[in-house]
Amino acid sequence: MITGSIVALVTPMHRDSGAVDWISLSSLIEWHIVEGTAAIVAVGTTGESATLSVQEHASVIEFIVSKVDKRIPVIAGTGANSTAEAIELTSMAMSAGADASLLVTPYYNKPTQAGLVNHYTTIAKSVSLAQILYNVPSRTACDMLPETIIELSKLDNIIGVKEATGDLSRVKLLLSSCDDDFAIYSGDDATARELMLMGGHGDISVTANVAPNLMAQMCNAAIRGDSGRASDIDGLLKDLHSSLFLEANPIPVKWALNRLGKIENALRLPMTELSLHLRKDVEIALKVAGII
């Protein structure tokens, strides 16, 4: 089981051309490994999967898998609102050597719970790669209910869920109803500490992009049940958890990484740069955390 701080990694881009910045991506990978990040999610929401072409999507996954070189696990974002496309992307990730895939609920078309069961069951039966469900209704307009997750958890290669609602009552139900080897991950940095103290297994994190070592320390403390240590570290990160969502992710986190000198401040349309009046809030949060 993959546990701890799992970074939902940004995809760096060049400001002038919009092309993927492979040099910066390589540097970010090395930084995360040194700083203690437990695993990398490649081309998830934070990685701007929605604006990458299929070929770029494949290339970024292949690049990250190659650069990581088995030092830590790589989880490939392969979700889609088409079951056939999700199968294609998941197969591609498996061929590239990813350790697992992360499959967001189908967005826009708003499937029923029965539709979700059929969607994920079809993918699981089509591709043997380990698969992690991803529920983030605030972005997808599709809420995968706990009962659906519990049903899907019985499939051998569906190994976990990223639950991004921030609803800890759901987490409690999942922990009590799913087998011990089914991983429950937070997809909400603000409540991740509490989820792990309840028995959850890690945090697929936006904040880890800018505070990898602090997030690693916090997650490790929470998983081992050290609530005092986890709370102390999380207190430093609290403002980041909120300020990195002042506008749609990954707008603020890319600005923050640019402020740290890690990447160019470049996103693809329709995403635009962080609004001027919000930049001070993000900078203050970085200072509170001791990052700058």
Side-chain angles (χ1 to χ4, degrees), residues 84-141:
E85 183 179 348
I87 290 170
E88 179 184 358
L89 291 171
T90 306
S91 297
M92 180 182 67
M94 184 174 173
S95 297
D99 297 281
S101 61
L102 180 67
L103 290 147
V104 71
T105 53
Y107 42 87
Y108 187 76
N109 44 23
K110 301 173 80 169
T112 63
Q113 297 302 303
L116 289 173
V117 170
N118 285 322
H119 171 77
Y120 284 111
T121 299
T122 301
I123 299 167
K125 289 182 176 179
S126 300
V127 188
S128 62
L129 182 66
Q131 295 166 23
I132 300 169
L133 311 172
Y134 178 16
N135 187 42
V136 58
S138 64
R139 294 195 76 125
T140 62

Side-chain angles (χ1 to χ4, degrees), residues 40-185:
I40 291 173
V41 169
V43 203
T45 303
T46 312
E48 291 177 81
S49 57
T51 60
L52 295 184
S53 69
V54 173
Q55 183 54 55
E56 286 175 319
H57 198 125
S59 296
V60 172
I61 292 170
E62 290 168 357
F63 183 88
I64 292 175
V65 168
S66 175
K67 288 295 179 181
V68 168
D69 195 23
K70 301 188 184 302
R71 288 175 288 174
I72 58 175
V74 175
I75 303 166
T78 61
N81 60 351
S82 157
T83 305
E85 183 179 348
I87 290 170
E88 179 184 358
L89 291 171
T90 306
S91 297
M92 180 182 67
M94 184 174 173
S95 297
D99 297 281
S101 61
L102 180 67
L103 290 147
V104 71
T105 53
Y107 42 87
Y108 187 76
N109 44 23
K110 301 173 80 169
T112 63
Q113 297 302 303
L116 289 173
V117 170
N118 285 322
H119 171 77
Y120 284 111
T121 299
T122 301
I123 299 167
K125 289 182 176 179
S126 300
V127 188
S128 62
L129 182 66
Q131 295 166 23
I132 300 169
L133 311 172
Y134 178 16
N135 187 42
V136 58
S138 64
R139 294 195 76 125
T140 62
C142 174
D143 188 2
M144 182 161 47
L145 299 179
E147 294 77 14
T148 301
I149 296 170
I150 292 164
E151 181 176 351
L152 289 167
S153 73
K154 298 171 185 175
L155 295 172
D156 288 343
N157 58 327
I158 294 184
I159 63 166
V161 62
K162 175 184 177 181
E163 175 53 65
T165 61
D167 183 348
L168 295 176
S169 65
R170 290 187 176 209
V171 173
K172 184 177 181 179
L173 177 59
L174 292 173
L175 287 167
S176 65
S177 303
C178 297
D179 290 343
D180 291 342
D181 61 355
F182 185 76
I184 311 295
Y185 300 115

